[in-house]
Amino acid sequence: MRAFTYERARDAVAAARIVASRPDAKFIAGGTNLLDLMKLEIETPTHLVDVQDLGFDRIEKTRDGGLRIGALVTNTDLAADERVRRDYGVLTRAIVAGASGQLRNKASTAGNLLQRTRCPYFYDTNMACNKRKPGSGCAAIGGYSRQLGVIGVSNACIATFPGDMAVAMRVLDASIETIDGAGARRTIPIADFHRLWGDRPDVDTVLKPGELITAVTLPRPIGGQHFYEKVRDRASYAYALVSVAAVIQRDGSGRVAFGGVAPRPWRVEAADALLPQGAAAVTARAFQGATPTKDNAFKLPLATRALASVIAQAKA
């Protein structure tokens, strides 16, 4: 790990101003992803701004009956919250499937949204990676790509977003609240938050330099049965080969989002309308235009089978 300086922020706007003014600076909260990347010298900030004291650690009701989740709420507290378990069960299920208890005790809501890909070529600094070093190439293209993306990828990068929590938030239509160094606030629908790689895979989200996440807002509950089905190589906290977050109503209608397949949680609203027709109809529409490799083409039928399992559970 390279040397760095450190300070604890006392004010959100000041913290955002510092990070915006210094391209070598990063925010840190739980640090469960950033510190690992610093140890490998994939991330090399020379200054860390610790935001843990900013008070964004509460879960509160909104005026329209939803929930506002502070950016610093831990995964453990979020998954265990009675209101989340009762009204947003898909979120609790996704978080518990995502990491060990020790990690959930430290990982923050905002940090979970911002975690970087687990592509093995991104983590191997001896290999070409446009995400780690723009313009160096993508060793995953033509390499071993079993765990990588099948849709929404590009000629510059085929990595996937690795998280579980965000897949559930995508099916719930969450919104992300931010503040910048000038005190300006904005709300970003989660559908627009994570970028498709295009020719800039080094840029993961639409956040501007120094823009700080302050909260995530969930709309009022939508009812139905909530499911999170995660298919992985081992049961003990592996990243998803394919995951399915679904909310299914009594009449068979509902919403579906997929993880482990794309640069962001993958939901195609037009595919939601096909749920009453079955899993094959949904995935045919959701993965229309997919470009799998020979190593990961199995993810397409696997997504269909995972969704079929969810539909069967809903009917049981």
Side-chain angles (χ1 to χ4, degrees), residues 109-155:
T109 296
N112 202 300
L113 291 169
L114 295 172
Q115 63 184 299
R116 307 207 70 191
T117 186
R118 265 57 176 194
C119 173
Y121 296 97
F122 174 71
Y123 270 77
D124 186 345
T125 55
N126 293 311
M127 305 299 289
C129 175
N130 288 318
K131 178 171 283 296
R132 177 171 23 83
K133 186 178 179 181
S136 64
C138 177
I141 297 176
Y144 182 67
S145 54
R146 181 173 180 272
Q147 294 179 308
L148 303 180
V150 297
I151 196 163
V153 296
S154 74
N155 291 330

Side-chain angles (χ1 to χ4, degrees), residues 13 15 26 62 84 90 107 173 194 274 296 310 315:
V13 173
K26 292 272 187 183
T62 62
V84 175
V90 63
D173 284 331
H194 295 100
L274 303 177
N296 66 20
V310 167
K315 292 178 177 178

